[in-house]
Structure formats: structure tokens, C-alpha cells
Amino acid sequence: MIFMFALGTALHAGRVRILVVEDERRLAELLSDGLTREGFAVDLAHDGREGLWMATEQPYDVIVLDVMLPELNGYEVCARLREAGVWTPILMLTAMDGEYDEAEALDTGADDYLTKPFSYVVLLARLRALVRRGLRERPAVLSVGDLRVDPAGLRCSRGDVLIALTPKEFAILHCLARRAGEVVPKSELLARAWDFAYDGDSNVVEVYISALRRKIDKPFGRTTLSTVRGAGYRLEA
């Protein structure tokens, strides 16, 4: 890992507090040393469970969160923080050329991502932008007719009935609900719901679409989730 450390003035007159969750100890120490020299107050965690505990127990201005962590990976940490109502800006560190990695980072609630290996100057600029932005609002619950999709709580309901979904089912439904009434290609659903390592059969999407229909439509006598042959899938009110 090569960094270009920017020596100079502190970023802010106040003391900005950052949590760095990174299991590679040498990298974590490099980040801590560099950010401290820039005027940040930096805490370190070396696994996902420790990072989750620190982020819920202490107020931070921004969190730098690696994806590949022991105990709990970065996706799980991010999702649990958002579910707990912690809206501290999160910059996630993803794998090289991992476009699915990056998509999943954003889908689980991260505010930004940076692909390894990265320039320290770019990291610093991203952190400055997140600090300026501050805490973001809880995402709005998506409504498609009487179907409600809550991305923060990872909950789905139709009317007053709560519907139990697997993480993959929820990721697919969330993507469809965000673009309600539009045709969403299978390739986009794969990118949103599967990680960068997936190289299996793309027909797996159809399996999950069928499972979703059995949960969100069939028990309620609805046909809101349709297949547009040769184009993708559409969720309508």
C-alpha cells in the first residue's frame, strides 16, 4: 500500500473524531498517524465486532470501515449501525476493481467508498467532504401501493402485515422499489444483491423473484411483481 501523506495545516479548528475499523494493523497505524497529524482525533478497531461496539457507544464525525474484517464484515457492521439508527457518515474501503463490492457498500448504507490501493490525498479529500456533510437523515420508507420497504430497518410490510425476507430478497426488492414502475434489468439486480466474487448462473435472480412473489404478492392476491421478457422485472402499485 502506497500513500502520499499531505503534511500541512489541520483540517478544522475543532477536533474532528474519526473511527478507523481496519484489521490490517500496519495500514491502521499509518492511517491513524497521518490523520492525527492532520488534526483529527483517531480511534482504532481491528475487527468488525469491536468497531460496531465503539461506533454505537461513542459519537464520531466519520467512520472509515474496511470490508474484509474478522468477526463481522464491513457490510454487516454498516447495516447494523443503520438499523440501530446510527447515521454517522461511513467511508468504506473496498477490494481492488470490486464494482459489486462498491455497490453493496452503498446499498448497505455507506456514504462513500474508496478502492484499495488508494492515495492518502484522495482519502483526505473524501473525509473532508463527509465531515462537511455531517449526519445524514434516515432514509425514507419506500411505498409502492400498500407495500412498504424500510431500507433503514431492513423491514418489509404490506398493509399491517410484516413480511419476512432474506437479505438477498430484501436487496432485490429494495432495488425494484426505488425504481417502481420501471423495468430493472437482471444485470442490475445481480450487481445490487450479490458481491463481487459471484460468478454463478444469472438465472438465480429468477429464483429469488419467484420467492418474492410468493411472499409479497400471492398471500395478498396481488400481481405487482412482473417479468418483462427479455428486459427485466418491474414492481408496480
Side-chain angles (χ1 to χ4, degrees):
M1 185 77 62
I2 298 175
F3 296 99
M4 296 184 295
F5 283 93
L7 300 176
T9 58
L11 292 174
H12 302 274
R15 191 77 160 159
V16 174
R17 194 172 184 187
I18 294 182
L19 173 63
V20 175
V21 189
E22 169 61 66
D23 65 320
E24 188 180 330
R25 290 180 181 268
R26 181 173 177 275
L27 171 57
E29 293 296 337
L30 282 171
L31 288 174
S32 178
D33 291 347
L35 293 172
T36 299
R37 287 200 295 270
E38 294 291 343
F40 291 109
V42 183
D43 291 334
L44 295 179
H46 298 297
D47 65 63
R49 199 170 298 280
E50 180 186 21
L52 177 62
W53 179 81
M54 292 177 69
T56 54
E57 291 296 315
Q58 302 292 334
Y60 290 98
D61 295 289
V62 67
I63 298 170
V64 178
L65 180 63
D66 189 29
V67 169
M68 303 301 291
L69 293 169
E71 302 292 339
L72 294 173
N73 66 41
Y75 301 134
E76 293 174 293
V77 173
C78 186
R80 292 191 189 190
L81 286 174
R82 296 319 190 211
E83 187 174 357
V86 177
W87 299 105
T88 305
I90 293 175
L91 173 66
M92 196 168 280
L93 305 180
T94 67
M96 183 185 296
D97 298 326
E99 60 180 20
Y100 296 146
D101 219 1
E102 294 159 5
E104 188 160 359
L106 296 175
D107 279 345
T108 53
D111 297 86
D112 200 358
Y113 61 84
L114 200 56
T115 303
K116 293 180 178 180
F118 53 83
S119 161
Y120 179 78
V121 173
V122 175
L123 172 72
L124 205 55
R126 299 284 182 89
L127 290 176
R128 280 197 295 262
L130 289 177
V131 169
R132 285 196 301 269
R133 187 184 309 168
L135 296 179
R136 63 188 176 95
E137 294 181 0
R138 180 185 178 93
V141 175
L142 303 173
S143 296
V144 185
D146 64 348
L147 181 69
R148 293 169 61 83
V149 180
D150 179 1
L154 299 178
R155 287 186 293 267
C156 172
S157 61
R158 191 179 281 285
D160 296 327
V161 180
L162 193 64
I163 302 171
L165 299 178
T166 68
K168 286 286 191 292
E169 290 168 350
F170 188 89
I172 291 172
L173 182 60
H174 182 208
C175 184
L176 291 166
R178 286 191 305 179
R179 296 180 53 186
E182 301 177 22
V183 177
V184 181
K186 182 188 295 184
S187 59
E188 183 172 336
L189 295 177
L190 275 171
R192 293 290 181 181
W194 275 263
D195 63 29
F196 70 96
Y198 182 77
D199 60 356
D201 189 347
S202 64
N203 288 329
V204 68
V205 174
E206 295 171 11
V207 175
Y208 280 90
I209 290 292
S210 296
L212 278 171
R213 287 190 181 115
R214 290 194 297 271
K215 292 183 176 183
I216 69 170
D217 276 350
K218 189 174 180 180
F220 305 93
R222 309 293 178 85
T223 55
T224 60
L225 181 50
S226 60
T227 300
V228 181
R229 191 172 299 279
Y233 305 93
R234 180 169 52 214
L235 181 67
E236 297 181 292

